[in-house]
Amino acid sequence: MKQVIQNETYGKIVYEESFWTGKKKLSINDRPLTRMSKKSYVTPDGEQMILSGNFLSGAKISVGSQTIQLTPKVAWYEVLLSLLPFVFIMVWGNSVSLCSIFPIAGGAIGGLIGALFGVLNLSLIKNIEAVWLKIVLSLVLFAGAVLVDFAIAVMLLALLVRS
């Protein structure tokens, strides 16, 4: 994930973080910073910058007494929207009476599907500015999670009926 910040002191700051590995890169005015340690970077001018946080918790760099916020923290509603598929599938999938109305796989399979869609949702909505678009995308992914889980439940029930 890539974030571009315009700062009055340093100009264009580019922060990149790999979603899968967590590897981070910093550059100022299209010149990459030299990495000294896991959290310490040095500018071409010799100024030391300390990087703290990550894309989800809110990355920021500290230079002397100045702190520059690179990415915002995850908002409470983003966490809630991302937990929705997991919680719904776990509750619905573990209730016999609810699954007789609309079957979905619960347990480990349902939990895995809900967690995967939740992580996907959080990684996608973190880059979107408009709250209404975050909600719409979250509801689409929620429906996708439920439909995938429903399809797996139907396949499992078909296998049980055959045998």
Side-chain angles (χ1 to χ4, degrees):
M1 293 168 225
K2 185 176 183 179
Q3 189 76 23
V4 179
I5 302 294
Q6 196 64 33
N7 184 272
E8 63 275 351
T9 308
Y10 296 99
K12 179 178 153 187
I13 301 173
V14 179
Y15 171 71
E16 293 181 72
E17 182 177 340
S18 171
F19 177 75
W20 300 108
T21 63
K23 186 176 179 183
K24 301 169 185 173
K25 294 180 187 176
L26 270 174
S27 65
I28 295 179
N29 295 322
D30 298 324
R31 293 178 13 210
L33 301 184
T34 305
R35 187 176 183 167
M36 300 305 284
S37 68
K38 187 175 181 179
K39 296 184 178 191
S40 178
Y41 293 83
V42 176
T43 66
D45 303 332
E47 200 169 15
Q48 185 177 10
M49 296 185 156
I50 306 297
L51 176 65
S52 60
N54 58 33
F55 195 75
L56 294 177
S57 66
K60 56 187 168 188
I61 53 174
S62 300
V63 185
S65 62
Q66 184 182 14
T67 301
I68 303 166
Q69 190 76 34
L70 300 173
T71 62
K73 294 178 182 177
V74 177
W76 66 268
Y77 59 87
E78 293 172 337
V79 173
L80 183 69
L81 289 170
S82 298
L83 285 175
L84 188 62
F86 177 77
V87 171
F88 179 83
I89 288 172
M90 292 307 292
V91 170
W92 192 284
N94 291 311
S95 171
V96 175
S97 58
L98 290 174
C99 282
S100 65
I101 299 168
F102 184 78
I104 63 173
I109 295 171
L112 177 66
I113 292 167
L116 288 174
F117 273 86
V119 169
L120 176 65
N121 183 55
L122 186 59
S123 66
L124 290 176
I125 66 173
K126 183 84 167 86
N127 294 324
I128 298 173
E129 297 266 338
V131 175
W132 69 270
L133 192 54
K134 290 180 183 196
I135 294 170
V136 169
L137 182 60
S138 295
L139 291 175
V140 167
L141 286 171
F142 171 75
V146 171
L147 289 175
V148 166
D149 210 34
F150 171 74
I152 290 173
V154 168
M155 287 189 283
L156 290 173
L157 288 172
L159 287 174
L160 286 173
V161 170
R162 276 176 125 187
S163 55

